[in-house]
Amino acid sequence: MPTVTIDGQKVRIKKGLTVLDAAKKAGIWIPTLCYHPAVASEASCRLCMVELDRGDWRQLITACNYPVRQDIVVYVSSERAEKARRGVMELLLARAPESRELAALACRMGVEKTHYPSVTESQRNCILCGLCVSVCEQVIGRAAIGFAGRGAERTVAAPFRQASEDCIGCGACAAVCPVGTIKIRLHKDEREIEISPFKSRAKMVLCERCGMPMYSGQVSREAMSKVKIGRKAFTEYLRLCPKCRRTETAERFASVPVRRE
Amino acid sequence: MSEEIELTGQIVKHYGSDKGMLIPMMQDLQAECGYLPIGHLRCLAERLDVPLSRLYSVATFYSSFRLAPKGAHDVTLCMGTVCYLKGSPMILEAISREFNVEAGGTTADRLFSLQAVNCVGACALAPVMVVDGKYYDGVTPQSAIEIIQAFPCEEETAEPSAKEGAK
Amino acid sequence: MNTAAAKFAAPADIEAFSQAVRGKIRADSKVVRVCIGTGCAAKGSRKIYELFRQAAEQSMDDVKIEAKCVGCHGFCERGPIVVVEPGEILYQRVEEPDVAEIFRETVLGGRVIERLLYEDSATGTRASKAEEIPFYAVQKRIVLENNGRIDPARITDYIAQGGYSALAKVLSSMTPEDVIAEVEASGLRGRGGGGFPTARKWRSCREAKGKPKYVVCNGDEGDPGAFMDRSIMEGNPHSVIEGMLIGAYAIGSEQGYIYVRNEYPLAVEHLGTAISQAREMGLLGKNILGGTLSFDIEINRGGGAFVCGESTALMASLEGRAGVPRAKYIHTVESGLRNKPTNLNNVETWANIPAIINRGGRWFADIGTKNSKGTKVFSLVGNVRNTGLVEVPMGITLRRIIDEIGGGVRDGKRFKAVQTGGPSGGCIPAEHLDTRVDFDELTKLGSMMGSGGMIVMDEDTCMVRVAKYFTEFLQKESCGKCTPCREGLAQMLHILGRITDGEGQVGDIVRLEELADLLEGTALCALGKTAANPVLSTIRYFRDEYDAHIRDRHCPAKECRGLFRYEIDEEACKACGICLKACPVDAITGEKKVPHVIDQDKCTLCGTCWEKCPFTAVMKV
């Protein structure tokens, strides 16, 4: 097992794991945005820059995808690494000035404001980290959204910027979005779930008891197709909303005569 | 609909269903249709078992692809360094103003599509304008406009639409 | 031996075939070679070839006369170029009406037509042969040696000139290790821009675990102002294929790809023809020349994205995806195309291989400087008298290239800078013109070798605008994946835009430098890491121009609109009224015999008057 020395602290990790993994083990915080353990690291946001000691020179690397193959020495809190992360964060703040999530992360990094004006905006408050795209393709297996265009024009979009037929309305993209740009909107009257800003909509399953819309019908079908054991119990589980399930369980208990000795 | 299936089928077969050849396939499709129609792309995605979002991503990433029909003629203006230094921005401006068309767009009457490209590699001829595959060297704002203005009379006799169909 | 449809079964067959073809060409036969490279073709050389072909067909002469299409001669400035054998008489700027005269006088009569020869503008002497023209005399042609000699569409032409003999040598007498050792001895470094030692790359790929292994040729020449690779692919496609075959043998690969820019249709056509001819003759396919090597090549056209010149982006494109780079912490020689070991070299690198094998690595290493061996092809363009493609030994000074080959700056203007290395390169000023062309020397100056663009700029070029041009180019061509490149370049462009608009602020230079530093350190791929070079090099050498824009709101080169005025020189004005009529906003007043005046309040600085004035009385001030 190679040893990673981070800011002087030594940790040993499995070969092939990343510098970020090592830092986590050492309890050292490195800010990340486009990193998520569920998907492959693209290292697109460049926020997790740290310095790698190469002997006669030092190289800035991204912690989230730099594979540890032998003993290495890295610096997270060196002046150059901190300056690099601040610089990247300032550029991101200029792009997504209204994101509260981003501002909170910047604050934690000690970056209070950006020196840059807002000069690019292909999609409001989106930092193009790509987590939503990765999760949709790699985890959900739908690839309903993807990148469109290039350079400053790059955006995340469903094909032809129309509501995607491949979207099942699971909301995984919204769940992983680190800046709160992707949102789930419920249209109760139409019994539909909408993933914003992609305009994709899915019909919702209603609670059998109270009629409250619960989740996307396609999601439950996808989920059902993956359940191998306990299928019956799972079907039962999907039938009611949490509130009604509690009520029903309570009623079931109430109907059972209490045994008295 | 059947045309979509037939054409995409031929193209996919030509490349042995190799997904790595997606870009050449899309180029062939564009050569046939003049642009990338949504229906054809859907068909191609299904045949190759590649998500439609991938095709859309490719179509919007590379500058040679277009998702809307183009004009009867292709006007390509080189914006390479040498052409730029020798005044191609002025030529672009002149064409845009004269014909009310932006780079990457098509005139309202569909007479021509205007493209500003990086470099056609003919720097000795700068500034260069390529019209339907023919290179014009040492172009000026004035001569560029004159070359384009020569289109309509040509159209009365030559019928560019027939030419395109034969391609 | 039949020279039409042979299929080679053993290495020795190639030499025999080559001799047979050469034997067929009678000593007294005559050939008219017409350049059909993009430059000459644009000036109508196809038609000229057609006329020569017809004339040759109809000729009653008892000597066999042949008209031949050949690849780029490099002297695009003087196109269309026609060379007549015997005598190697080079005619330039040939037009259709000249064909009959050339045929009658030179081809049949053996007389030289003075009027069509190259004339040295300084001395007035005419040169009848290429080697007598300074443009060619200073060059050393290895890669381009056969460009302009052979018909790129005929494999027999290539073989007759010794083509595929290096492959025969490799397959009959060398082990893969021997091949790599030979390339190592040559000191060849990648010609695509990076300058990585070729042999080291080949060895890493050979030693990498995993099968299959891929060999890829990067023909995505995206640098504006560069067309070296295009000319090689168009003019001598078999040299690239032969180089790849040798590389495949050394590395242990069975599949190759050539990735060609979409903007190069002729290169695609010629490569396609060359590949099918090589297949027919058993030079591509299974058990090549009866041995163990099996190798084939596919052509993949790019979709129009500069970033695809970057290795991982190119591979993504070959996989049918958007050309977005990925981290290279694990090198592509280990995990490249489809996560398999992949060896990527540029067109010019591949084209150097046959010569290295034939003449030996030692011979190659004798040319050039300590760390940069062999020759380099440059496209010499811009404000230089002779523009075109030049191949020079490494170590030659920039001054010799520009003055002796290029004939100096055109129109009697003063030299300001030469831009090398493509959009990520830098601008080198006059005081460094004696620098030797060498990977490391150019890097020291803040520029780089790049793939070989060399753009000469004269005194009328605004260097801030040049920096803005390249930044804008890179911003448009950035894939948009990583934050520093996407956002940083947009910020830099924003600042450069306000400087050239005359709204620059004190501190803008420092802001640009800060952004440049951020890009260099944090961008994901080489495009982003080097994207600030044009800005940094112009700040380094032409800071006074930045200062003039920011402080004085003045553009010293008088290029930035709004930062200079147009005025009419009273003395020079002949009151002809041309400018007055041409002015689109009626800003010019005057009468007959009264010098005209521009109303500065009305003037929109469109420059029409300046262009139209026949007496150069309109001045930029």
Side-chain angles (χ1 to χ4, degrees), chain C residues 72-77 134-145 147 227-228 231-232 348 375-381 384 386-393 396-398 400-402 404-407 437 451-454:
Chain C
C72 184
H73 287 75
F75 208 6
C76 310
E77 171 74 26
F135 178 81
Y136 288 107
V138 185
Q139 296 192 42
K140 177 164 184 66
R141 298 194 151 206
I142 297 172
V143 172
L144 297 178
E145 193 182 8
N147 256 44
F227 51 100
M228 299 78 51
S231 293
I232 297 168
E348 192 184 330
T375 59
K376 178 77 194 85
V377 185
F378 288 99
S379 61
L380 182 62
V381 293
V384 67
N386 305 323
T387 61
L389 209 62
V390 305
E391 183 172 353
V392 290
I396 190 173
T397 63
L398 289 166
R400 286 194 72 195
I401 299 178
I402 294 164
E404 291 181 32
I405 302 177
V437 167
S451 59
M454 193 173 273

Side-chain angles (χ1 to χ4, degrees), chain B residues 15 20-24 27-28 54 58 61-64 79-82 84-85 93 118-119 121 123-125 135 137, chain C residues 42-43 76 224-225 227 230 261-262 298 300-304 317-318 320-323 381 387 455 469-470 473 477:
Chain B
Y15 292 98
M21 286 292 170
L22 178 64
I23 295 164
Q27 281 163 342
D28 287 1
R54 165 98 69 86
V58 167
F61 185 87
Y62 296 101
S63 57
S64 66
M79 300 298 276
T81 319
V82 184
Y84 182 87
L85 291 175
E93 213 178 282
N118 288 339
C119 184
C123 313
L125 312 174
Y135 288 70
D137 62 331
Chain C
K43 292 183 184 169
C76 310
F227 51 100
R230 194 206 70 206
R261 254 185 109 195
N262 188 50
E298 261 182 71
N300 208 314
R301 282 171 293 157
S317 189
L318 279 178
R321 292 185 282 116
V381 293
T387 61
I455 301 158
Y469 166 78
F470 285 116
F473 174 90
E477 292 299 331

Side-chain angles (χ1 to χ4, degrees), chain C residues 63 66 72 94 98 156 160 285 339 383 514:
Chain C
V63 177
E66 188 193 2
C72 184
V94 175
D98 302 327
T156 47
N339 300 320
N383 303 118
E514 268 175 14

